[in-house]
Amino acid sequence: MKKILAFAGSNSSTSLNFQLLTHVANRIQGHEVKVQDFNQYELPIYSADREKDRGIPVSAKIINKIIQEHDALVIAVNEHNGNVSAYFKNIIDWLSRLDRNFLANKKILLISTSPGKRGAASALEYTKGILPRFGGEIIESFSLPSFNDNFKDGKMLNEVLDMGIEDVLTTFSHQLESGKID
């Protein structure tokens, strides 16, 4: 049994991605899954001057410690204007300054959604490209388009998309069980 940390790259109290994340996390079987909201750990916007003057914020160290306590991650990536949110990017910036390889040996499932037809696909693609730079291994990804048409009251409405999530979760779980996690 592996320890999986699930979190969203959104700081919105009404995050669609956090809703999808909770749904996906509840479907993972045979592993210990912790859904985490990092909003309680306030981080200033990254600045080299701030880092030089005050060092790495304690909140960044706490977030890193939580990540390090887990074997794998499920990250829900939200999108602002075709890119990841400033909130999520800021977390990555601080964590990479603390430890360039803060995702070493972490197997990652990326998910995304939005009200639009692309389901935050641009932010998802960006994240798939950037996280391996910090040692993470992207195992699977899934984008849920048109959130409001396909998800309601914690349930998938579209059977085909629901099967897609199930396929992604099966592959992710199989990789955790058979893959090497140090």
Side-chain angles (χ1 to χ4, degrees):
M1 178 184 292
K2 302 296 181 189
K3 292 177 68 176
I4 302 170
L5 176 66
F7 66 94
S10 173
N11 61 348
S12 171
S13 63
T14 60
S15 170
L16 305 179
N17 278 280
F18 197 83
Q19 291 176 53
L20 179 61
L21 176 76
T22 302
H23 173 79
V24 168
N26 287 334
R27 291 175 68 165
I28 297 173
Q29 301 293 316
H31 301 286
E32 179 185 326
V33 182
K34 176 182 180 180
V35 177
Q36 176 75 51
D37 182 355
F38 284 139
N39 286 327
Q40 63 187 303
Y41 305 109
E42 209 166 303
L43 282 173
I45 295 295
Y46 177 77
S47 151
D49 292 336
R50 194 225 183 266
E51 180 185 4
K52 181 180 157 197
D53 293 343
R54 299 183 209 151
I56 305 286
V58 170
S59 290
K61 294 175 183 177
I62 292 170
I63 292 169
N64 185 58
K65 183 179 184 304
I66 293 168
I67 289 171
Q68 297 315 311
E69 292 170 346
H70 293 82
D71 302 304
L73 308 173
V74 178
I75 304 172
V77 182
N78 64 323
E79 187 171 277
H80 290 173
N81 299 317
N83 208 333
V84 296
S85 67
Y87 170 80
F88 184 55
K89 175 73 168 64
N90 193 49
I91 289 173
I92 293 170
D93 289 344
W94 277 115
L95 293 178
S96 68
R97 295 300 298 161
L98 180 63
D99 176 2
R100 176 71 179 175
N101 289 311
F102 72 96
L103 294 175
N105 303 314
K106 303 291 181 216
K107 295 195 181 282
I108 302 170
L109 166 60
L110 293 175
I111 60 174
S112 68
T113 192
S114 73
K117 292 180 182 178
R118 291 186 27 85
S122 295
L124 185 68
E125 286 303 312
Y126 169 83
T127 306
K128 284 167 62 176
I130 195 79
L131 294 187
R133 294 181 186 181
F134 308 114
E137 179 185 353
I138 309 300
I139 299 300
E140 272 288 2
S141 66
F142 182 85
S143 174
L144 176 67
S146 305
F147 179 84
N148 297 319
D149 296 333
N150 291 312
F151 192 91
K152 186 171 181 148
D153 298 325
K155 295 180 184 158
M156 290 293 300
L157 303 177
N158 183 307
E159 189 176 310
V160 172
L161 292 171
D162 191 55
M163 288 187 308
I165 288 176
E166 191 60 35
D167 286 346
V168 164
L169 287 173
T170 298
T171 300
F172 183 63
S173 290
H174 176 72
Q175 286 294 315
L176 291 180
E177 292 163 9
S178 64
K180 295 179 178 128
I181 298 178
D182 298 330

